[in-house]
Amino acid sequence: QKEVEQDPGPLSVPEGAIVSLNCTYSNSAFQYFMWYRQYSRKGPELLMYTYSSGNKEDGRFTAQVDKSSKYISLFIRDSQPSDSATYLCAMTEPAGGTSYGKLTFGQGTILTVHP
Amino acid sequence: NAGVTQTPKFQVLKTGQSMTLQCAQDMNHNSMYWYRQDPGMGLRLIYYSASEGTTDKGEVPNGYNVSRLNKREFSLRLESAAPSQTSVYFCASSGKGQGLRDTQYFGPGTRLTVL
């Protein structure tokens, strides 16, 4: 079983829809959670960053972390064609652990928002 | 700032040939990473360098070697390329005190095909 599981999709939605992307994980030591966005033929870029449990909002994007369920989500409101990309979740342990600096990624979800 | 740069952008090799992928960052980051990305597999860590002078194996190190040439540069070498190494290779860097712990900044990638 992979340490981080993410539904690869693909996911196709109409413009304006609410999109929900999810990851589950098995390592209870993970404390930092990130979402990266990757456009076609480009490198991933950081979209959202959350520490421990809770919600974080940035414009149309909301990241949620539920550590008790080992489950993280990314919501996109009023989705736009420009949101079409692959979304990767990533997570890591606190500083001082043996995995310092190393991120564990999900497989990525391919999202297409059509006009 | 150029961020993370990678050369070459594309490469075609024959089985058994060798090559070196180059990566450089101008963000004064301590840590650097090499990943490969294959369809449905997400990003898998090949090697990483937590600081200048150190390198460690990641999840899929077999068939690769790395050199942390200085703080800026981290190269990945394929000594005897195999078709299973056909992939997109990403270099990334991260640094302490950059605001968000362990945020990794990615290069544009190298598309490698081994025939």
Side-chain angles (χ1 to χ4, degrees):
Chain A
Q1 183 185 359
K2 288 183 180 293
E3 211 169 5
V4 179
E5 296 277 2
Q6 182 177 6
D7 185 343
L11 187 60
S12 181
V13 301
E15 183 174 354
I18 296 174
V19 176
S20 172
L21 305 168
N22 311 294
C23 289
T24 59
Y25 62 94
S26 57
N27 185 351
S28 58
F30 287 145
Q31 291 276 7
Y32 297 84
F33 304 91
M34 302 150 207
W35 287 94
Y36 281 80
R37 178 174 60 194
Q38 184 179 20
Y39 290 116
S40 181
R41 296 184 173 265
K42 301 288 187 183
E45 57 180 352
L46 182 69
L47 184 63
M48 297 286 285
Y49 182 107
T50 309
Y51 169 69
S52 195
S53 286
N55 293 0
K56 184 173 183 179
E57 189 172 320
D58 184 2
R60 297 184 294 109
F61 298 89
T62 300
Q64 288 186 352
V65 175
D66 182 348
K67 291 194 68 186
S68 62
S69 302
K70 297 191 180 67
Y71 188 86
I72 70 171
S73 300
L74 177 70
F75 297 96
I76 307 174
R77 291 185 299 280
D78 187 25
S79 56
Q80 302 294 310
S82 59
D83 295 327
S84 298
T86 297
Y87 290 80
L88 300 126
C89 63
M91 45 201 79
T92 189
E93 298 179 18
T98 57
S99 66
Y100 170 73
K102 293 195 299 180
L103 295 178
T104 302
F105 284 86
Q107 297 95 313
T109 300
I110 300 170
L111 171 68
T112 301
V113 181
H114 52 86
Chain B
N1 286 353
V4 179
T5 57
Q6 292 183 236
T7 55
K9 287 187 168 50
F10 303 93
Q11 185 70 48
V12 178
L13 292 177
K14 294 181 180 178
T15 296
Q17 288 185 317
S18 62
M19 78 161 295
T20 299
L21 281 65
Q22 306 286 356
C23 174
Q25 53 91 9
D26 62 3
M27 296 175 282
N28 200 34
H29 284 167
N30 288 324
S31 302
M32 299 184 73
Y33 314 83
W34 276 106
Y35 293 90
R36 61 178 288 174
Q37 187 175 38
D38 303 291
M41 302 292 287
L43 286 161
R44 292 185 291 170
L45 184 64
I46 304 171
Y47 270 93
Y48 71 102
S49 172
S51 61
E52 188 179 354
T54 68
T55 60
D56 286 285
K57 295 178 180 179
E59 182 185 355
V60 288
N62 291 346
Y64 305 96
N65 284 302
V66 291
S67 295
R68 184 74 183 265
L69 305 169
N70 48 54
K71 191 171 185 179
R72 289 187 63 248
E73 298 172 289
F74 189 39
S75 62
L76 178 72
R77 183 161 178 82
L78 286 70
E79 290 291 352
S80 178
S84 60
Q85 294 178 304
T86 293
S87 188
V88 181
Y89 291 85
F90 288 101
C91 178
S93 70
S94 69
K96 276 185 175 180
Q98 300 296 319
L100 300 179
R101 181 186 176 274
D102 297 328
T103 297
Q104 292 187 15
Y105 296 85
F106 286 81
T110 294
R111 294 182 173 273
L112 175 67
T113 301
V114 182
L115 302 175

Coordinates of all heavy atoms in Angstrom, one line a residue, chain A residues 33-76:
Chain A
F33 N 1.3 19.7 5.0 CA 0.6 19.2 3.9 C 0.5 20.3 2.8 O 0.2 21.5 3.1 CB -0.9 18.8 4.3 CG -0.9 17.8 5.5 CD1 -0.9 18.2 6.8 CD2 -0.8 16.5 5.2 CE1 -0.9 17.3 7.8 CE2 -0.8 15.5 6.2 CZ -0.8 15.9 7.5
M34 N 0.7 19.9 1.6 CA 0.8 20.8 0.5 C 0.0 20.3 -0.7 O -0.2 19.1 -0.9 CB 2.3 21.0 0.1 CG 3.2 21.5 1.2 SD 4.9 20.8 1.0 CE 5.4 20.8 2.7
W35 N -0.4 21.2 -1.5 CA -0.9 21.0 -2.8 C -0.1 21.7 -3.9 O 0.1 22.9 -3.7 CB -2.4 21.4 -2.9 CG -3.3 20.5 -2.1 CD1 -3.8 20.7 -0.8 CD2 -3.9 19.3 -2.6 NE1 -4.6 19.7 -0.5 CE2 -4.7 18.8 -1.5 CE3 -3.9 18.6 -3.8 CZ2 -5.4 17.6 -1.6 CZ3 -4.6 17.4 -3.9 CH2 -5.4 17.0 -2.8
Y36 N 0.3 20.9 -4.8 CA 1.1 21.4 -6.0 C 0.2 21.4 -7.2 O -0.6 20.4 -7.4 CB 2.3 20.7 -6.2 CG 3.5 21.0 -5.3 CD1 3.6 20.5 -4.0 CD2 4.5 21.9 -5.7 CE1 4.6 20.8 -3.2 CE2 5.6 22.2 -4.9 CZ 5.6 21.6 -3.6 OH 6.7 21.9 -2.8
R37 N 0.3 22.4 -8.1 CA -0.4 22.4 -9.3 C 0.7 22.2 -10.4 O 1.7 22.9 -10.4 CB -1.1 23.7 -9.5 CG -1.9 23.8 -10.8 CD -2.7 25.1 -10.8 NE -1.9 26.3 -10.6 CZ -2.4 27.5 -10.3 NH1 -3.7 27.6 -10.2 NH2 -1.6 28.5 -10.2
Q38 N 0.4 21.4 -11.4 CA 1.3 21.1 -12.5 C 0.6 21.3 -13.8 O -0.2 20.4 -14.2 CB 2.0 19.8 -12.4 CG 3.0 19.5 -13.4 CD 3.7 18.1 -13.3 OE1 3.1 17.2 -12.6 NE2 4.8 17.9 -13.8
Y39 N 0.9 22.3 -14.6 CA 0.4 22.5 -15.9 C 1.2 21.5 -16.9 O 2.3 21.1 -16.6 CB 0.5 23.9 -16.4 CG -0.4 24.9 -15.7 CD1 0.1 25.9 -14.9 CD2 -1.8 24.7 -15.8 CE1 -0.7 26.8 -14.2 CE2 -2.6 25.6 -15.1 CZ -2.1 26.6 -14.3 OH -2.9 27.5 -13.7
S40 N 0.5 21.2 -18.0 CA 1.1 20.3 -18.9 C 2.5 20.7 -19.4 O 2.7 21.9 -19.7 CB 0.2 20.2 -20.2 OG 0.7 19.3 -21.1
R41 N 3.4 19.8 -19.3 CA 4.8 20.0 -19.7 C 5.5 21.0 -18.9 O 6.5 21.7 -19.4 CB 4.9 20.3 -21.2 CG 4.4 19.1 -22.0 CD 4.6 19.3 -23.5 NE 4.2 18.1 -24.2 CZ 5.1 17.2 -24.6 NH1 6.4 17.4 -24.3 NH2 4.7 16.1 -25.2
K42 N 5.1 21.2 -17.6 CA 5.8 22.2 -16.7 C 6.1 21.5 -15.4 O 5.6 20.3 -15.2 CB 4.9 23.4 -16.4 CG 4.4 24.2 -17.6 CD 5.5 25.0 -18.2 CE 5.0 25.9 -19.3 NZ 6.2 26.6 -20.0
G43 N 6.9 22.1 -14.6 CA 7.2 21.6 -13.3 C 6.1 21.9 -12.3 O 5.4 22.9 -12.5
P44 N 6.0 21.1 -11.2 CA 5.0 21.5 -10.2 C 5.3 22.8 -9.5 O 6.4 23.1 -9.4 CB 5.1 20.3 -9.2 CG 5.8 19.2 -10.0 CD 6.7 19.9 -11.0
E45 N 4.2 23.5 -9.1 CA 4.4 24.7 -8.4 C 3.5 24.7 -7.2 O 2.4 24.1 -7.2 CB 4.1 25.9 -9.2 CG 2.7 25.9 -9.8 CD 2.4 27.2 -10.7 OE1 3.2 28.1 -10.7 OE2 1.3 27.2 -11.3
L46 N 3.9 25.2 -6.0 CA 3.2 25.2 -4.8 C 1.9 26.0 -4.9 O 2.0 27.2 -5.3 CB 4.0 25.7 -3.6 CG 3.3 25.6 -2.3 CD1 3.2 24.2 -1.8 CD2 4.2 26.4 -1.2
L47 N 0.8 25.4 -4.5 CA -0.5 26.1 -4.6 C -1.0 26.4 -3.1 O -1.4 27.5 -2.9 CB -1.5 25.2 -5.3 CG -2.9 25.8 -5.5 CD1 -2.8 27.0 -6.4 CD2 -3.8 24.7 -6.1
M48 N -1.0 25.5 -2.3 CA -1.4 25.6 -0.9 C -0.5 24.9 0.1 O 0.0 23.9 -0.3 CB -2.9 25.1 -0.7 CG -3.9 25.8 -1.6 SD -4.3 27.4 -1.0 CE -5.3 27.0 0.5
Y49 N -0.4 25.4 1.3 CA 0.4 24.9 2.3 C -0.3 24.9 3.6 O -0.8 26.0 4.0 CB 1.7 25.7 2.4 CG 2.8 25.2 3.3 CD1 3.9 24.6 2.9 CD2 2.6 25.4 4.7 CE1 4.9 24.2 3.8 CE2 3.6 25.0 5.6 CZ 4.7 24.4 5.1 OH 5.7 24.0 6.0
T50 N -0.4 23.8 4.3 CA -1.2 23.8 5.6 C -0.3 23.0 6.6 O 0.3 22.0 6.3 CB -2.5 23.0 5.4 OG1 -3.2 23.6 4.3 CG2 -3.4 23.2 6.7
Y51 N -0.3 23.5 7.8 CA 0.4 22.9 8.9 C -0.7 22.2 9.8 O -1.6 22.9 10.2 CB 1.2 23.8 9.7 CG 1.7 23.2 11.0 CD1 2.7 22.2 11.0 CD2 1.3 23.7 12.3 CE1 3.2 21.6 12.2 CE2 1.8 23.1 13.4 CZ 2.7 22.1 13.4 OH 3.2 21.5 14.5
S52 N -0.5 20.9 10.1 CA -1.4 20.1 11.0 C -2.9 20.2 10.5 O -3.1 20.3 9.4 CB -1.2 20.7 12.4 OG -1.8 19.7 13.3
S53 N -3.8 20.1 11.4 CA -5.2 20.0 11.0 C -5.8 21.4 10.8 O -5.3 22.4 11.3 CB -6.0 19.3 12.1 OG -5.8 17.9 12.1
G54 N -6.9 21.5 10.1 CA -7.6 22.7 10.0 C -7.8 23.1 8.5 O -7.6 22.3 7.6
N55 N -8.4 24.3 8.3 CA -8.6 24.8 7.0 C -7.8 26.0 6.7 O -7.4 26.7 7.6 CB -10.1 25.2 6.9 CG -11.1 24.1 7.0 OD1 -10.7 22.9 7.1 ND2 -12.4 24.4 6.9
K56 N -7.5 26.2 5.4 CA -6.8 27.4 4.9 C -7.4 27.8 3.6 O -7.6 26.9 2.7 CB -5.3 27.1 4.7 CG -4.5 28.3 4.4 CD -3.1 28.0 4.4 CE -2.2 29.3 4.1 NZ -0.8 29.0 4.1
E57 N -7.7 29.1 3.5 CA -8.4 29.6 2.3 C -7.5 30.6 1.6 O -6.9 31.4 2.2 CB -9.7 30.2 2.7 CG -10.6 30.6 1.5 CD -12.0 31.1 2.0 OE1 -12.5 30.5 2.9 OE2 -12.5 32.0 1.4
D58 N -7.5 30.5 0.3 CA -6.7 31.5 -0.5 C -7.5 31.7 -1.8 O -7.4 30.9 -2.8 CB -5.3 30.9 -0.8 CG -4.5 32.0 -1.6 OD1 -5.0 33.1 -1.8 OD2 -3.3 31.6 -1.9
G59 N -8.3 32.8 -1.8 CA -9.1 33.0 -3.0 C -10.1 32.0 -3.3 O -10.9 31.6 -2.4
R60 N -10.1 31.4 -4.4 CA -11.0 30.3 -4.8 C -10.6 28.9 -4.2 O -11.4 28.0 -4.4 CB -11.2 30.2 -6.3 CG -11.8 31.5 -6.9 CD -12.0 31.3 -8.4 NE -10.7 31.2 -9.2 CZ -10.3 30.0 -9.7 NH1 -11.1 28.9 -9.6 NH2 -9.2 30.0 -10.4
F61 N -9.5 28.9 -3.6 CA -9.0 27.6 -3.1 C -9.1 27.4 -1.6 O -8.7 28.4 -0.9 CB -7.5 27.4 -3.6 CG -7.3 27.5 -5.1 CD1 -7.1 28.7 -5.7 CD2 -7.3 26.3 -5.8 CE1 -6.9 28.7 -7.1 CE2 -7.1 26.3 -7.2 CZ -6.9 27.5 -7.8
T62 N -9.5 26.3 -1.2 CA -9.5 25.9 0.2 C -8.9 24.6 0.5 O -9.2 23.6 -0.2 CB -11.0 25.9 0.8 OG1 -11.6 27.2 0.6 CG2 -11.0 25.5 2.3
A63 N -7.9 24.5 1.4 CA -7.3 23.3 1.8 C -7.8 22.9 3.1 O -7.9 23.7 4.0 CB -5.8 23.4 1.8
Q64 N -8.1 21.6 3.3 CA -8.6 21.0 4.6 C -7.7 19.9 4.9 O -7.3 19.0 4.1 CB -10.0 20.6 4.5 CG -11.0 21.7 4.4 CD -12.5 21.1 4.4 OE1 -12.7 19.9 4.4 NE2 -13.4 22.1 4.5
V65 N -7.4 19.8 6.2 CA -6.6 18.6 6.7 C -7.4 18.0 7.9 O -7.8 18.8 8.8 CB -5.2 19.0 7.2 CG1 -4.5 17.8 7.9 CG2 -4.4 19.6 6.1
D66 N -7.7 16.8 7.9 CA -8.3 16.0 9.0 C -7.3 14.9 9.4 O -7.3 13.8 8.8 CB -9.6 15.4 8.5 CG -10.3 14.7 9.7 OD1 -9.7 14.5 10.7 OD2 -11.5 14.3 9.5
K67 N -6.5 15.2 10.4 CA -5.5 14.3 10.8 C -6.1 13.1 11.5 O -5.5 12.0 11.4 CB -4.4 15.0 11.7 CG -3.6 16.0 11.1 CD -2.4 16.4 11.9 CE -1.4 15.2 12.0 NZ -0.3 15.5 13.0
S68 N -7.2 13.2 12.1 CA -7.8 12.0 12.8 C -8.2 11.0 11.8 O -8.1 9.8 12.0 CB -9.0 12.5 13.6 OG -10.0 13.0 12.8
S69 N -8.6 11.4 10.6 CA -9.0 10.5 9.5 C -7.9 10.3 8.5 O -8.0 9.5 7.6 CB -10.2 11.0 8.8 OG -11.3 11.2 9.6
K70 N -6.8 11.0 8.7 CA -5.6 10.9 7.7 C -6.1 11.2 6.3 O -5.9 10.4 5.4 CB -4.9 9.6 7.8 CG -4.3 9.3 9.2 CD -3.4 8.1 9.1 CE -2.7 7.7 10.4 NZ -3.7 7.3 11.4
Y71 N -6.7 12.4 6.2 CA -7.4 12.7 4.9 C -7.2 14.2 4.7 O -7.4 15.0 5.6 CB -8.9 12.4 5.1 CG -9.8 12.5 3.9 CD1 -9.9 11.4 3.1 CD2 -10.5 13.7 3.7 CE1 -10.8 11.5 2.0 CE2 -11.4 13.8 2.6 CZ -11.5 12.7 1.7 OH -12.3 12.8 0.7
I72 N -6.8 14.6 3.5 CA -6.7 16.0 3.1 C -7.5 16.3 1.9 O -7.7 15.3 1.0 CB -5.3 16.5 3.0 CG1 -4.6 15.9 1.7 CG2 -4.5 16.1 4.2 CD1 -3.2 16.5 1.5
S73 N -8.0 17.5 1.7 CA -8.8 17.9 0.6 C -8.4 19.2 0.0 O -7.9 20.1 0.8 CB -10.3 17.9 1.0 OG -10.7 16.7 1.4
L74 N -8.6 19.4 -1.2 CA -8.5 20.7 -1.9 C -9.8 21.0 -2.6 O -10.2 20.2 -3.4 CB -7.3 20.8 -2.9 CG -7.1 22.1 -3.6 CD1 -6.6 23.2 -2.7 CD2 -6.2 21.9 -4.8
F75 N -10.4 22.2 -2.3 CA -11.6 22.6 -2.9 C -11.3 23.8 -3.8 O -10.6 24.7 -3.4 CB -12.7 22.9 -1.9 CG -13.1 21.8 -1.1 CD1 -12.5 21.6 0.2 CD2 -14.1 20.9 -1.5 CE1 -12.9 20.5 1.0 CE2 -14.4 19.8 -0.7 CZ -13.9 19.6 0.5
I76 N -11.9 23.7 -5.0 CA -11.7 24.8 -6.0 C -13.2 25.3 -6.2 O -14.0 24.6 -6.8 CB -11.1 24.4 -7.3 CG1 -9.7 23.8 -7.0 CG2 -10.9 25.7 -8.2 CD1 -9.0 23.2 -8.2

